[in-house]
Amino acid sequence: MDTGWKHRWYFRLLMLCLAWTVLLSGQEANAQCVAEPSSSKADEGLVKRLPASCTRAEREAQSVRAEAILDTLEKGQPVELVGVVIHGELNLDRLSVRKDGGGSIVEGQVSPKAEELRHIRGIVRIRDSTVMGAMRHRSRQGMLQFDGPVDFQGTTFREGVDLSRSRFEGQVELAGAVFQQEAYFVQGQFMRTMDCKNTKFGPHTRFHRSIFHGPVDCTRALFDGMAELLEVTFESTALFEGVRFGSGTGFSGSRFTRRVSFGEAIFSRDAFFTFSKFDETASFSGAQFLGLADFSDAVFAESDNLARARFDNPPLFTRTKRVAQEPPADGFNALLDRHGLTAFFLLLAVALTAYALKRK
């Protein structure tokens, strides 16, 4: 009896220890997923920052509704969300409209006939988060203006994003963001830097007739589907180095007023640069054009290095204006030059040898 009682006592003690361990582990896990408390000040807006240690279930338990974001923007307050899950559609057309006489809209850059202006005055930061619903601005009568910076770094957008006819007064951060569906920025105005390094764009991306006043850096970005950058103006440097264009790509009618680089970029299908203008250096060193490459009617004000790119099909240069090109140092022409020079000296040696033999 004493032995049985001891066994039961040891068993109960073991179960108690296990239960206590599980309880402490749960408390520790919960302690690791505590959102930073929002300030009680009315002008602090919507703030929620979840640490990277949170599980998906914990993030879902502390998810944010799109309506809360829209209400905050309507009040002119900032939105700062990190590591959260957002449910619902971010329909920015719901924001209040104020008539604008043209003071906030730069005439001719978006539309001289714009009559409506939706104004987002505070910072918009949705970083390392997951947006489950669509984000839309589809007004045809006006534009959407962001006064502060817009930061979507590392965020995944499960549905479509349409921020067409938007004006971004501050820096736009898209580095590491993932757009699983379409991403439209038609007729956008980007007043400062746009960082899109390592960004993954989905089946259809459009920047048609947008203007980039500041530098653009899309180094190592992926445009998985069709990429339309037609009639776009780049007023500062533009970097598309190491970019992978997975489908048809169009830069037709675009103007690069400063240096642009497509070094090591891969154009998996047809690429169109027709009627494009390159006012300064255009680098294509190491770029690969696996489909058709059409530079018809393009204008290069300075020398380009397209000879250093690889073309699987003969590129089109119909009516293209190019500065006189120097033969590449390591290209096919240089190879011919070296072989030709070797052959010349070989023939000269043979001729001198034959002459010497005759003299004997």
Side-chain angles (χ1 to χ4, degrees), residues 36-66:
E36 178 180 323
S38 301
S39 172
S40 59
K41 296 180 181 179
D43 59 350
E44 288 298 323
L46 178 61
V47 178
K48 179 175 284 191
R49 306 184 189 93
L50 297 181
S53 59
C54 292
T55 66
R56 178 58 188 265
E58 291 169 335
R59 296 182 194 280
E60 283 286 357
Q62 301 189 58
S63 62
V64 177
R65 298 298 305 176

Side-chain angles (χ1 to χ4, degrees), residues 89-263:
E89 182 179 12
L90 284 166
N91 184 4
L92 299 172
D93 292 333
R94 287 178 48 190
L95 298 178
S96 298
V97 174
R98 70 178 180 87
K99 297 296 180 178
D100 191 273
S104 298
I105 302 177
V106 178
E107 186 175 357
Q109 291 186 347
V110 171
S111 173
K113 298 180 180 180
E115 297 178 353
E116 298 178 354
L117 177 64
R118 291 175 172 85
H119 215 169
I120 295 179
R121 301 185 182 279
I123 182 175
V124 178
R125 175 174 289 122
I126 304 176
R127 179 183 288 194
D128 299 324
S129 299
T130 302
V131 181
M132 304 299 294
M135 178 182 290
R136 309 286 191 194
H137 173 250
R138 290 178 167 175
S139 172
R140 296 178 178 272
Q141 291 76 36
M143 63 179 293
L144 177 66
Q145 179 165 311
F146 293 85
D147 283 353
V150 175
D151 184 356
F152 294 147
Q153 291 185 69
T155 290
T156 297
F157 296 89
R158 294 288 183 87
E159 297 297 333
V161 174
D162 190 348
L163 293 178
S164 297
R165 296 173 64 85
S166 294
R167 176 183 172 93
F168 301 90
E169 292 286 349
Q171 185 170 342
V172 177
E173 297 278 358
L174 301 179
V178 178
F179 297 88
Q180 294 186 350
Q181 301 299 326
E182 70 275 8
Y184 295 162
F185 297 88
V186 178
Q187 290 184 291
Q189 293 184 58
F190 299 83
M191 309 308 294
R192 298 192 179 182
T193 302
M194 187 178 87
D195 184 356
C196 45
K197 293 190 294 290
N198 297 301
T199 303
K200 295 181 180 180
F201 294 96
H204 195 183
T205 305
R206 299 186 67 197
F207 285 91
H208 183 209
R209 295 185 65 188
S210 289
I211 301 175
F212 293 93
H213 297 273
V216 176
D217 188 352
C218 284
T219 302
R220 295 183 301 276
L222 169 64
F223 291 84
D224 198 31
M226 184 175 296
E228 295 183 36
L229 293 96
L230 309 173
E231 301 179 73
V232 175
T233 300
F234 297 89
E235 295 188 346
S236 189
T237 56
L239 300 179
F240 293 92
E241 297 175 347
V243 171
R244 176 66 180 261
F245 295 95
S247 188
T249 306
F251 283 90
S252 295
S254 293
R255 182 168 187 174
F256 302 88
T257 63
R258 295 291 185 268
R259 182 177 70 90
V260 58
S261 176
F262 289 93

